[in-house]
Amino acid sequence: MALLDVRGITKRFGALKAVDGVTFQVSPGQICGFIGPNGAGKTTTMRVCSTLELPDEGDVLIDGLSVLGEPREARKRIGFMPDSYGAYANTTIHEYLDFFARAYGLQGAARRTTLARVIEFTSLGDLTEKYIDALSKGMKQRLCLAKTLLHDPPVMILDEPAAGLDPRARVELRELVKALAQLGKAILVSSHILTELSEMCSSVVVIERGQLKGGGTVADVVRSVNRATTLFLRALAGAEACERRLLETPHVLNVRREHEGVVFEFDGDLNAQAELFAQLAASGLQPVELALRDTNLEDIFLSLTEGKLQ
Amino acid sequence: MNAVAARSLDDRLNPILVKEVRQALRGRYFRALFWLTLGVATLVGLSIVANSVRSPGAQVLGREFFMVMFGCLSAAVHAFTPFSAFLSTSAEWDENTHDLLVLSNLRPRQIVYGKLCSALVQALLYYSTFGPFLVFAFLLNGVDLAALGAILFVSMASCASLTLLGVALASLSAAKAPRVVLMALFGIGLVMFWGMSLGMSSGVVYSPQMLREPEALVMLAGTVVSILLAGAFFAAIAVARLSHEEENRSSGLRVLSVAIVISALAFGAWMSWGHSAPDFAWGLQVAALFPLAVAWLFFLTEPEPLGRHVRLHVSRNPLLAALSAPFLPGGGRGALLMLLHMLLAAFGALACMAFGPVDPVRRSAAFFGLLGVYAYAWIYMGIPAGAASFFVRSLRGRVVTRMGIVFLLPVVMLGPLLVGLVLGISGLSDPLHPFNPATALGALMDSREMTKLVELALAALTLLSLALNAPRMIQGVREVLAASAERRAKPVERS
Ligand SMILES: Nc1ncnc2c1ncn2[C@@H]1O[C@H](COP(=O)(O)OP(=O)(O)OP(=O)(O)O)[C@@H](O)[C@H]1O
Ligand SMILES: [Mg+2]
């Protein structure tokens, strides 16, 4: 069963439909990327999932609990990391985490061990006595993640966690998120840094102007966007021979030379693709490399969205 | 053993309290003001003592010394502390931490309670610092122990209520600009309160025989109870505002508003039967109108439809659902609640006075006078709110309607007066012109007959207001019954 089950939610702000009938699921252990241009409704969707806004229509089930009917129970199972979050003045990292641990109702030894656990997990150990105001962006991001993990929620909703981080911090964040998914959590993560998402997500959901534009595993979405798969072929027979041969093959489009091989698009189904591979192997071309050219999320993003702002 | 007890106490403390006390004691605001107050108190106190060596007069010395110390203490607990509660609540919006508090499942009342407690901890620090000075003032002679006790008692209650007012004001708006305005107003109000508290306490200190009068204890109890009730009212506002936007923000306040009417009735009954002062019965109902009017302003202008979240919690039992209707959010149901208040207040006051030593003419004058004051509320709030009920769905519509009603009152009270003065119409140039609600009150107080025409107009306009609001009142109950039926139709969900 999906831990996060978004069922046709709609959210209006006055006349504006910020989210319009969005439906998707995230299962345990899955990292789902949530992409869309500015103002697409990502933050609004995430806030609805986290009970911070109630949907005008539809519902969200968190581990089977409705955010409408049982928001307090649902909240115990959600870890939401907002895109902008608060820091209290005159408070150290330890005090900040201690405050939220108390707010989550953790008591005595349980609170102390939990604090130690999240501080270790996010490598904040040496900084616990630092004041929050004095932290760098990356440190704050870790602190916020630590805060989100305090009550060990099975569903995690991260709104642009990588924004403003340097490359090293981003890699570290990615590893942390992957580790969390391995613990069986369902994770929804939005980001503008698409390469970031494509490296860690098992599935993606694309949204534009409040409406779902596509979703599924990365491969599914790639296939749905590019009816044609992009392939790269290199053979001992040479680029020219490859080109000639391919131009006679059905379903092949846009053949062009690149490095010592050819890049071409193929718009047949999987059976046709298998047949093509067999034919190429049987032909006298002596292929040494036949590879799928990665369509990354950047391409999906650009081809699914129209770039219109709302 | 002790360590275990301390740990379990530590676990039970309100998280907000722990956080706020840490923040406050570390922050510049508290430290600077603490030393400032203490410094000023010491300096002025010393100079008074030094002066008195030249012109002895022990009685005056003790009182003067007390007033200086209390002045500093009062500034701290009635101005600085409530203001810091305002700032800390305000910061929850500015720093986006309010969402984090909601996510952490802290209940709004825990947040308000934590803010109150941390303010009280700060106040306690001030009280214990100034304690020795106050004892010293007592030893200097001239300050009555009863007076000292009464002043401190009232000042502590006021500190709590002002803190809650600060939290309530800061929670009114998540947007920054209105909060800055509120902050300025609150600051001015606190300074005024400080002056008032100095005036009142010097009255008590310089004429302590006041406290020996038979009514003194009742008055003192009445004062403290009304201060605390006001505090509870502010707390309910803050809890409502800090609740989640779509959640039911209204019911708590609605229940409390009825509690205000009932406690005023109880106090009135006690005064009427126990102390032969039947006028309290209606006088307190008139006083209760001030907080009630503030509450009605919001209740009457709430958007009509029940929120999805509230619908899921309407009672399955149709009778209970119908009875709960006036307490659920929505403008029509707000009008229903106002009707309930009116009937409760008028008939309750009548019942309280029925057994007191009061002649029947005065009794019926009080009854109709009270209805008369309510009639003004129906006219000035019920008519515009009823007319604007389609307009209040959007936030902007609500703000405009509420502001409109707030500005209507001074216009109808002062406008005719100005017109009357300029045009020389004698009926209007009297401040008690027929557009002024105090007219009904005036008629009530001196059992004066209002002119028949005004009475008729009042009755007609009240009926108009009721007629204007009737459709949404009926619709309001219907909607609750429909929600109840909807819940009955669905199978019981797992708990
Ligand atoms: N509280 C609000 N009141 C009114 N409109 C809002 C509110 N919150 C969001 N919106 C509008 O809803 C739309 C969706 O906003 P949202 O913040 O969900 O987008 P987003 O996908 O998170 O964008 P970004 O990538 O810039 O963070 C926008 O047009 C925004 O202006
Ligand atoms: Mg966003």
Side-chain angles (χ1 to χ4, degrees):
Chain A
M1 192 183 72
L3 274 175
L4 173 64
D5 187 357
V6 181
R7 296 185 171 175
I9 56 168
T10 295
K11 176 76 195 173
R12 293 188 197 87
F13 293 112
L16 176 88
K17 262 191 183 175
V19 180
D20 189 0
V22 166
T23 301
F24 62 91
Q25 284 90 28
V26 188
S27 313
Q30 200 182 358
I31 304 178
C32 177
F34 196 30
I35 59 182
N38 290 126
K42 301 184 294 293
T43 300
T44 308
T45 306
M46 289 181 145
R47 286 176 63 86
V48 170
C49 294
S50 324
T51 76
L52 288 176
E53 314 263 7
L54 289 187
D56 293 316
E57 281 159 39
D59 199 352
V60 179
L61 301 187
I62 306 288
D63 198 6
L65 294 164
S66 154
V67 296
L68 260 179
E70 299 155 285
R72 292 189 63 82
E73 281 306 305
R75 246 170 242 157
K76 291 182 188 160
R77 292 163 174 76
I78 305 167
F80 178 46
M81 183 167 161
D83 55 351
S84 66
Y85 50 85
Y88 289 112
N90 297 312
T91 307
T92 65
I93 288 188
H94 186 268
E95 287 167 355
Y96 184 82
L97 292 175
D98 181 63
F99 165 63
F100 282 106
R102 282 169 192 270
Y104 282 117
L106 294 170
Q107 300 201 332
R111 190 171 72 237
R112 280 185 292 281
T113 49
T114 304
L115 283 183
R117 178 174 58 79
V118 300
I119 286 174
E120 197 207 300
F121 185 77
T122 50
S123 329
L124 284 169
D126 302 331
L127 304 168
T128 50
E129 295 311 314
K130 257 196 152 181
Y131 284 107
I132 299 179
D133 326 28
L135 294 181
S136 72
K137 176 88 186 169
M139 291 304 159
K140 276 191 187 158
Q141 213 73 338
R142 273 166 194 270
L143 176 62
C144 197
L145 185 64
K147 189 232 121 219
T148 312
L149 289 171
L150 280 171
H151 57 305
D152 197 19
V155 177
M156 306 224 22
I157 297 173
L158 315 177
D159 197 0
E160 311 206 11
L165 298 188
D166 67 21
R168 173 178 297 277
R170 248 184 267 155
V171 172
E172 285 170 358
L173 180 83
R174 195 171 68 213
E175 294 312 313
L176 287 182
V177 173
K178 279 184 178 168
L180 288 170
Q182 268 158 18
L183 294 175
K185 297 184 188 298
I187 302 176
L188 179 69
V189 49
S190 79
S191 177
H192 286 303
I193 304 163
L194 297 167
T195 45
E196 194 57 47
L197 283 181
S198 62
E199 276 165 58
M200 66 178 169
C201 293
S202 38
S203 65
V204 286
V205 174
V206 186
I207 184 174
E208 185 180 33
R209 292 200 284 162
Q211 289 174 339
L212 221 57
K213 290 284 167 168
T217 64
V218 176
D220 281 345
V221 177
V222 168
R223 215 169 301 127
S224 79
V225 175
N226 302 35
R227 249 350 104 47
T229 316
T230 308
L231 294 159
F232 175 73
L233 171 68
R234 190 159 68 88
L236 292 180
E240 211 183 313
C242 288
E243 194 174 2
R244 234 180 297 122
R245 172 72 207 235
L246 281 169
L247 283 174
E248 296 160 4
T249 316
H251 297 303
V252 169
L253 315 159
N254 296 334
V255 185
R256 61 177 191 275
R257 292 202 208 163
E258 197 181 297
H259 304 300
E260 278 134 45
V262 284
V263 175
F264 62 98
E265 282 170 21
F266 182 77
D267 70 352
D269 59 10
L270 286 177
N271 288 329
Q273 195 172 327
E275 197 166 313
L276 170 79
F277 284 16
Q279 279 179 13
L280 286 176
S283 70
L285 290 174
Q286 294 179 286
V288 288
E289 197 179 342
L290 180 58
L292 262 176
R293 256 300 156 81
D294 250 356
T295 312
N296 60 25
L297 285 176
E298 207 109 17
D299 301 328
I300 302 180
F301 184 86
L302 291 176
S303 62
L304 281 183
T305 63
E306 294 157 25
K308 284 189 201 141
L309 295 180
Q310 73 169 11
Chain B
M1 190 61 215
N2 255 343
V4 174
R7 280 223 165 129
S8 90
L9 177 71
D10 179 45
D11 277 338
R12 239 163 265 167
L13 283 177
N14 180 306
I16 298 268
L17 168 66
V18 177
K19 178 204 83 158
E20 300 262 311
V21 170
R22 268 179 193 158
Q23 268 184 293
L25 299 191
R26 205 176 272 152
R28 243 176 269 143
Y29 179 89
F30 178 79
R31 281 204 246 173
L33 288 177
F34 185 80
W35 293 116
L36 182 75
T37 342
L38 202 59
V40 170
T42 318
L43 278 182
V44 182
L46 279 179
S47 77
I48 286 179
V49 175
N51 260 341
S52 74
V53 178
R54 267 174 269 145
S55 55
Q59 273 242 318
V60 182
L61 177 64
R63 287 172 182 178
E64 269 185 9
F65 190 78
F66 176 82
M67 282 316 297
V68 169
M69 290 308 150
F70 182 73
C72 293
L73 178 61
S74 172
V77 299
H78 297 144
F80 304 157
T81 308
F83 200 71
S84 98
F86 180 98
L87 292 180
S88 105
T89 310
S90 191
E92 304 282 5
W93 299 119
D94 289 335
E95 306 286 339
N96 285 322
T97 43
H98 177 247
D99 282 347
L100 298 186
L101 295 183
V102 173
L103 285 172
S104 68
N105 252 348
L106 276 180
R107 287 175 189 274
R109 75 174 118 81
Q110 278 178 296
I111 299 176
V112 175
Y113 180 66
K115 301 258 176 210
L116 173 66
C117 286
S118 84
L120 291 183
V121 167
Q122 293 173 51
L124 205 64
L125 275 176
Y126 280 111
Y127 278 112
S128 53
T129 312
F130 279 86
F133 290 110
L134 296 179
V135 171
F136 184 61
F138 175 67
L139 293 178
L140 283 177
N141 272 331
V143 182
D144 191 83
L145 195 58
L148 193 112
I151 290 174
L152 286 183
F153 194 43
V154 174
S155 92
M156 285 178 198
S158 319
C159 171
S161 282
L162 288 172
T163 300
L164 289 170
L165 175 61
V167 176
L169 287 179
S171 65
L172 277 186
S173 166
K176 182 132 195 171
R179 258 186 294 118
V180 172
V181 177
L182 286 173
M183 185 172 81
L185 291 178
F186 186 53
I188 296 169
L190 288 178
V191 173
M192 279 165 56
F193 185 90
W194 179 59
M196 209 173 76
S197 99
L198 286 191
M200 304 244 289
S201 46
S202 79
V204 175
V205 167
Y206 283 91
S207 44
Q209 65 280 5
M210 222 157 85
L211 287 174
R212 302 219 165 57
E213 277 163 28
E215 241 82 88
L217 201 62
V218 175
M219 292 312 294
L220 188 65
T223 311
V224 172
V225 167
S226 12
I227 291 176
L228 292 180
L229 260 184
F233 186 63
F234 301 142
I237 293 179
V239 167
R241 298 300 308 181
L242 292 175
S243 300
H244 201 253
E245 200 167 332
E246 281 89 348
E247 263 171 46
N248 182 351
R249 295 171 145 186
S250 201
S251 293
L253 265 176
R254 287 179 187 229
V255 171
L256 187 75
S257 69
V258 172
I260 289 178
V261 176
I262 290 177
S263 45
L265 277 179
F267 200 67
W270 184 47
M271 292 306 288
S272 179
W273 297 334
H275 294 265
S276 307
D279 283 341
F280 269 90
W282 61 263
L284 284 170
Q285 289 307 325
V286 173
L289 280 170
F290 289 95
L292 288 180
V294 176
W296 292 330
L297 179 66
F298 289 91
F299 296 160
L300 289 175
T301 53
E302 282 170 352
E304 300 295 339
L306 280 179
R308 295 180 72 194
H309 186 76
V310 179
R311 288 183 82 92
L312 290 175
H313 289 91
V314 169
S315 170
R316 284 170 202 277
N317 182 327
L319 184 66
L320 283 183
L323 287 179
S324 71
F327 297 93
L328 295 177
R333 285 175 290 268
L336 219 49
L337 182 71
M338 192 161 148
L339 199 61
L340 184 70
H341 285 144
M342 179 167 87
L343 298 178
L344 202 60
F347 286 101
L350 196 63
C352 291
M353 295 174 81
F355 298 96
V358 65
D359 69 297
V361 177
R362 181 140 181 78
R363 201 157 57 216
S364 73
F367 178 71
F368 286 108
L370 208 49
L371 284 185
V373 185
Y374 265 91
Y376 279 100
W378 278 104
I379 296 166
Y380 290 146
M381 303 180 94
I383 291 180
S389 65
F390 287 100
F391 193 50
V392 297
R393 283 200 197 132
S394 68
L395 180 64
R396 176 187 266 172
R398 281 200 290 285
V399 171
V400 169
T401 311
R402 286 170 187 168
M403 297 291 262
I405 293 176
V406 168
F407 283 113
L408 185 66
L409 205 60
V411 169
V412 292
M413 281 175 69
L414 298 178
L417 191 62
L418 290 179
V419 172
L421 283 178
V422 171
L423 300 183
I425 305 169
S426 62
L428 292 179
S429 54
D430 178 1
L432 285 185
H433 57 76
F435 294 99
N436 185 348
T439 312
L441 199 58
L444 162 66
M445 280 196 287
D446 11 310
S447 309
R448 174 157 53 89
E449 284 278 311
M450 281 201 274
T451 63
K452 275 276 166 293
L453 188 68
V454 173
E455 275 174 18
L456 272 178
L458 266 184
L461 285 172
T462 308
L463 284 180
L464 172 71
S465 174
L466 283 170
L468 200 59
N469 283 291
R472 59 177 188 152
M473 289 201 245
I474 295 167
Q475 177 55 29
V477 177
R478 274 205 188 136
E479 194 187 8
V480 174
L481 289 176
S484 172
E486 208 174 278
R487 285 204 59 200
R488 259 173 286 139
K490 261 195 209 160
V492 182
E493 299 142 28
R494 67 191 173 82
S495 66

